[in-house]
Amino acid sequence: MYAARSLGLGSTPMIGFDADAVHHEFGLGEEEVPVMLLSVGVERQGNWAQKPRRPVADVLDLV
Ligand SMILES: Cc1cc2nc3c(=O)[nH]c(=O)nc-3n(C[C@H](O)[C@H](O)[C@H](O)COP(=O)(O)O)c2cc1C
């Protein structure tokens, strides 16, 4: 994702996908399990801005 960003591209992770279909389409082996997809692409005109993020301290406690 950082590499995509450094090239001026946008990228987001996705875990909500049909793992069996991805496995089939990409001809993965029996011991290979797709766990995440990364979308990578050129930002379209009119794309909305990145959603706001809460400060890390609001959502994470380091113990
Ligand atoms: C680990 C992870 C998995 C994600 N999986 C999905 C997904 O399956 N489907 C989806 O629409 N967004 C998913 N998201 C959210 C998108 O990647 C992205 O954060 C969202 O589109 C909002 O982007 P923005 O906050 O930059 O505007 C996931 C985010 C993370 C961190």
Side-chain angles (χ1 to χ4, degrees), residues 12-13 47-55:
T12 55
N47 193 22
W48 57 82
Q50 184 183 54
K51 294 173 192 164
R53 263 64 167 169
R54 290 185 176 195

Side-chain angles (χ1 to χ4, degrees), residues 1 11-17 36-37 39 48-53:
M1 292 176 69
S11 178
T12 55
M14 290 183 287
I15 57 170
F17 63 91
M36 190 169 77
L37 302 184
S39 64
W48 57 82
Q50 184 183 54
K51 294 173 192 164
R53 263 64 167 169

Side-chain angles (χ1 to χ4, degrees), residues 3-55:
R5 198 70 197 147
S6 73
L7 295 171
L9 301 170
S11 178
T12 55
M14 290 183 287
I15 57 170
F17 63 91
D18 184 338
D20 289 339
V22 171
H23 196 276
H24 175 74
E25 288 299 323
F26 285 83
L28 301 182
E30 266 184 41
E31 295 180 358
E32 294 176 303
V33 180
V35 294
M36 190 169 77
L37 302 184
L38 287 182
S39 64
V40 177
V42 179
E43 184 176 327
R44 291 195 312 193
Q45 268 195 338
N47 193 22
W48 57 82
Q50 184 183 54
K51 294 173 192 164
R53 263 64 167 169
R54 290 185 176 195

